[in-house]
Amino acid sequence: MIIRPARPSELTVLQDIERSAGMLFAEIGMSEVANDDPPSLDELASFADTGGCWVAVDDNGPVGYSLDGPVDGAVHLHQLSVRHDRTRRGIGSALLAHVLERADSAVTLTTFVDVPWNGPYYLVRGFRCLSPDEETPGLRALRDEERARGLDRWPRACMRFR
């Protein structure tokens, strides 16, 4: 498996990966999350243009991707998704390791606290939950966007590595 920058021709594949990854949420009763729209092609292109769109590729093409970009002096992991039929094979871990290795500052993210491949997954990899008073203005703005989309129906948290 190779991790490399996403190519413009692969952006629709990343949307398919996102839809596939959502199937895991449907399996645990979070169908609203499973049915959430993937990032738009414009959003994906923006991340790609700024060097924050990475794909994990096997012999058949992209099987996972991550999106990252700056938020308040940290690298913020906006998205990490792996095709449903390729989970539990280290692809997500490889993408996360790539983001952490590239970061010259802290890495932040927002995630579901109780979903096994979310909050607990990141805790084991060295992230810690931030208290509300530790959240930066940019993180608070991201959380406000998540609340507006209804994602706070399930417990969420901001997390930080380093």
Side-chain angles (χ1 to χ4, degrees), residues 10-79:
E10 296 169 327
L11 299 182
T12 57
V13 175
L14 303 189
Q15 290 179 316
D16 293 339
I17 290 170
E18 185 67 23
R19 288 183 192 99
S20 174
M23 294 170 62
L24 286 173
F25 288 97
E27 292 172 4
I28 62 168
M30 295 173 71
S31 56
E32 292 90 342
V33 175
N35 295 326
D36 198 26
D37 287 333
S40 71
L41 292 177
D42 287 341
E43 290 172 303
L44 292 169
S46 178
F47 280 103
D49 290 346
T50 59
C53 184
W54 298 89
V55 291
V57 181
D58 69 8
D59 293 338
N60 297 312
V63 294
Y65 76 99
S66 66
L67 302 175
D68 66 72
V71 173
D72 297 335
V75 174
H76 188 77
L77 180 60
H78 290 270
Q79 189 66 42

Side-chain angles (χ1 to χ4, degrees), residues 8-155:
S9 62
E10 296 169 327
L11 299 182
T12 57
V13 175
L14 303 189
Q15 290 179 316
D16 293 339
I17 290 170
E18 185 67 23
R19 288 183 192 99
S20 174
M23 294 170 62
L24 286 173
F25 288 97
E27 292 172 4
I28 62 168
M30 295 173 71
S31 56
E32 292 90 342
V33 175
N35 295 326
D36 198 26
D37 287 333
S40 71
L41 292 177
D42 287 341
E43 290 172 303
L44 292 169
S46 178
F47 280 103
D49 290 346
T50 59
C53 184
W54 298 89
V55 291
V57 181
D58 69 8
D59 293 338
N60 297 312
V63 294
Y65 76 99
S66 66
L67 302 175
D68 66 72
V71 173
D72 297 335
V75 174
H76 188 77
L77 180 60
H78 290 270
Q79 189 66 42
L80 192 151
S81 296
V82 176
R83 249 180 38 197
H84 181 268
D85 64 338
R86 298 300 306 273
T87 60
R88 311 266 189 249
R89 298 180 191 185
I91 297 166
S93 293
L95 283 162
L96 178 60
H98 181 76
V99 171
L100 295 175
E101 288 168 12
R102 288 182 41 251
D104 58 359
S105 61
V107 176
T108 59
L109 55 84
T110 62
T111 192
F112 292 106
V113 172
D114 299 324
V115 174
W117 60 91
N118 278 202
Y121 172 86
Y122 293 113
L123 284 171
V124 168
R125 281 150 183 83
F127 283 79
R128 68 176 183 84
C129 288
L130 297 177
S131 64
D133 63 319
E134 292 177 293
E135 294 176 6
T136 64
L139 290 175
R140 284 193 295 275
L142 289 171
R143 291 287 292 118
D144 288 344
E145 290 173 20
E146 292 173 350
R147 280 194 254 327
R149 291 175 40 216
L151 294 180
D152 271 18
R153 180 174 168 199
W154 304 273

